[in-house]
């Protein structure tokens, strides 16, 4: 009896990136899986198989890690098809399934660069000094709580001055960089008449 089967390689002449489905798996044509161009073998895709199970099966066949890969489904006109992990393949308008590595956030994020900080010398209570590391680019108003706690002042009554003889509080909307400061004087105004910008205290 004459054998009418084609004895050639089913992948010869085709797209080397495609992995054709086994025609014996179902009577209707199944979607075709596109995988790593280094691999090419038959894979049976049942139409009732959920997308997630297909992903696991493909990764197992090609010895890949499912958690590091995802599938992309393309329709007959090459449009992307939206799906849920438990969507059966047969319920989707799927012509081609692409198996591709995930792009994780760690790979897309820029390398972490620590925020620059400087040593701020704080003078208080006449001869007391202390040092704190702060960002030179934030408004002084954001540094008042830090300075107050460091000097054991109540932040609500802490006033920042350029030096011990200055009577005009620093502009809290400006930063150390803007004021060109790395040293300042902290005064506790609790129980005292507060200093007001632009006015000299007697």
């Amino acid at each position: 009896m004459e054998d009418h089967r084609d004895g050639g390689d089913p992948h010869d002449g085709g797209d080397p990136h495609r992995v054709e489905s086994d025609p014996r798996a179902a009577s209707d044509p199944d979607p075709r899986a596109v995988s790593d161009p280094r691999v090419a073998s038959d894979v049976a895709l049942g139409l009732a198989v959920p997308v997630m199970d297909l992903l696991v099966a493909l990764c197992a066949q090609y010895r890949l890690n499912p958690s590091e890969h995802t599938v992309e489904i393309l329709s007959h006109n090459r449009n992307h098809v939206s799906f849920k992990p438990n969507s059966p393949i047969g319920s989707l308008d799927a012509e081609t399934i692409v198996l591709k590595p995930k792009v994780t956030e760690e790979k897309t994020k820029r390398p972490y660069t620590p925020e620059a900080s400087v040593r701020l010398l704080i003078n208080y209570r006449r001869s007391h000094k202390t040092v704190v590391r702060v960002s030179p680019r934030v408004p002084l108003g954001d540094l008042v709580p830090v300075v107050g706690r460091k000097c054991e002042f109540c932040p609500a009554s802490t006033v920042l001055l350029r030096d011990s003889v200055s009577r005009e509080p620093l502009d809290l909307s400006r930063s150390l960089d803007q004021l060109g400061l790395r040293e300042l004087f902290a005064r506790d105004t609790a129980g005292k008449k507060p200093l007001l910008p632009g006015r000299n205290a007697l």
Side-chain angles (χ1 to χ4, degrees), residues 37-52:
R38 294 171 299 177
V39 295
S41 62
D42 290 336
V43 58
L45 305 182
L47 296 180
V49 175
V51 175
M52 183 56 65

Side-chain angles (χ1 to χ4, degrees), residues 8-153:
D9 188 340
H11 296 290
D12 286 346
D15 186 344
H17 291 218
R18 296 184 184 277
V19 180
E20 300 290 338
S21 63
D22 188 343
R24 297 168 296 180
S27 58
D28 294 329
D30 288 341
R32 290 168 292 175
V34 178
S35 185
D36 191 308
R38 294 171 299 177
V39 295
S41 62
D42 290 336
V43 58
L45 305 182
L47 296 180
V49 175
V51 175
M52 183 56 65
D53 290 354
L54 172 63
L55 169 64
V56 173
L58 289 174
C59 288
Q61 179 166 348
Y62 303 137
R63 298 179 182 179
L64 302 173
N65 187 344
S67 65
E68 297 177 356
H69 290 77
T70 186
V71 292
E72 184 178 89
I73 298 179
L74 303 177
S75 65
H76 295 271
N77 55 5
R78 310 302 294 174
N79 290 330
H80 291 273
V81 178
S82 60
F83 61 90
K84 295 181 179 180
N86 60 349
S87 299
I89 296 297
S91 68
L92 305 173
D93 180 22
E95 164 70 11
T96 303
I97 298 174
V98 182
L99 179 63
K100 57 196 301 185
K102 281 184 179 178
V103 179
T104 61
E105 291 185 3
E106 287 74 14
K107 293 180 181 179
T108 57
K109 284 196 300 188
R110 294 179 179 178
Y112 171 72
T113 304
E115 183 180 2
S117 63
V118 297
R119 295 174 74 255
L120 176 63
L121 176 62
I122 306 169
N123 300 287
Y124 66 105
R125 290 177 183 160
R126 295 186 179 178
S127 60
H128 288 71
K129 297 179 183 290
T130 188
V131 174
V132 64
R133 294 201 70 90
V134 296
S135 170
R137 292 190 284 268
V138 301
L140 288 185
D142 293 352
L143 304 183
V144 169
V146 177
V147 174
R149 287 192 296 269
K150 192 72 174 178
C151 300
E152 299 181 349
F153 295 163

Side-chain angles (χ1 to χ4, degrees), residues 4 29 32 57 119 129 132 154 158-159 165 178-179:
H4 296 285
R32 290 168 292 175
R119 295 174 74 255
K129 297 179 183 290
V132 64
C154 174
T158 300
V159 174
V165 298
Q178 291 173 325
L179 295 171

